[in-house]
Amino acid sequence: MAPIPGCRTDMNITLLTDSINSWFIPFGERLNREMSNLGHVVKYVHKKQDIERGDVCFLLSCSRIIEESYLSLNKNNIVVHASDLPSGKGFAPLQWQILEGKNEIVLTLFEVVKEVDAGPFYFKDKLEFDGTELYDELRCKLGKKIIEMCLRFIKERDTLKPVEQVGPESFFHRRGRKDDELDVYKTIAEQFNHLRIADNDKYPLYFKYLGQTYLIKIYRDDSNA
């Protein structure tokens, strides 16, 4: 692939996803290939101890705190967060917002600082859904958008200026087992957005009835597509 005019092609870049079981791994591998094709030296790692000294470290789908000693190895430490920061800091922002009924989700690409999700941002983008996507489809669209935004940062890095977050902040708490419970007295239509964010494999939805607990899993029927 020919170099992009005005774009550095000699950067040392680390991509970190801190679990080998993360849903993001296939997208991280694709991002690795695409950045390498631009002429950069890229390493995709899954432990913070493997972060190398360089220009940019992307922290993608990370669930653990990265200490300053590791952040200091790169000039930029970048996260893409699925909310319009400073609104929606914290955990599982995409799922919480879909549950709220939103089908337009703003994503923020920002610089990591000590405080959670508080660093200055470089730009924002958005994802649009049609309201029918289930969990895997939501994640697929999110993964592709994260790749797009990270590539944009690399291509425009020399001209981008950080902007401090302003406005009221809010936080999403970490989702737990109680958050996966359906209400037996509400209709499927009323709870469809809850069904959309269900992780059938790791965290299936459930309901309690007549002293028993029942699991619910949802799949799209494409037999008549």
Side-chain angles (χ1 to χ4, degrees), residues 64-81:
R64 302 176 182 88
I65 294 175
I66 308 298
E67 293 83 358
E68 175 59 33
S69 59
Y70 298 106
L71 298 177
S72 65
L73 295 173
N74 284 272
K75 298 171 186 176
N76 295 107
N77 295 278
I78 300 298
V79 168
V80 179
H81 188 76

Side-chain angles (χ1 to χ4, degrees), residues 27-93:
F27 300 96
E29 291 172 344
R30 175 180 162 187
L31 181 58
N32 185 357
R33 292 192 298 270
E34 296 203 23
M35 287 186 173
S36 297
N37 288 339
L38 292 174
H40 303 293
V41 178
V42 188
K43 185 176 182 181
Y44 191 22
V45 303
H46 307 297
K47 296 188 295 183
K48 61 188 177 183
Q49 293 84 354
D50 292 330
I51 295 175
E52 295 190 348
R53 187 174 299 278
D55 296 289
V56 185
C57 179
F58 288 92
L59 311 175
L60 305 172
S61 191
C62 290
S63 59
R64 302 176 182 88
I65 294 175
I66 308 298
E67 293 83 358
E68 175 59 33
S69 59
Y70 298 106
L71 298 177
S72 65
L73 295 173
N74 284 272
K75 298 171 186 176
N76 295 107
N77 295 278
I78 300 298
V79 168
V80 179
H81 188 76
S83 78
D84 189 3
L85 294 176
S87 174
K89 297 179 179 182
F91 300 95

Side-chain angles (χ1 to χ4, degrees), residues 147-171:
I147 289 175
E148 180 184 317
M149 293 177 72
C150 291
L151 289 172
R152 177 184 168 187
F153 177 81
I154 288 299
K155 294 172 183 177
E156 301 179 9
R157 177 172 176 257
D158 292 340
T159 59
L160 291 170
K161 304 297 182 184
V163 179
E164 294 297 327
Q165 297 182 28
V166 295
E169 65 179 11
S170 60
F171 291 85

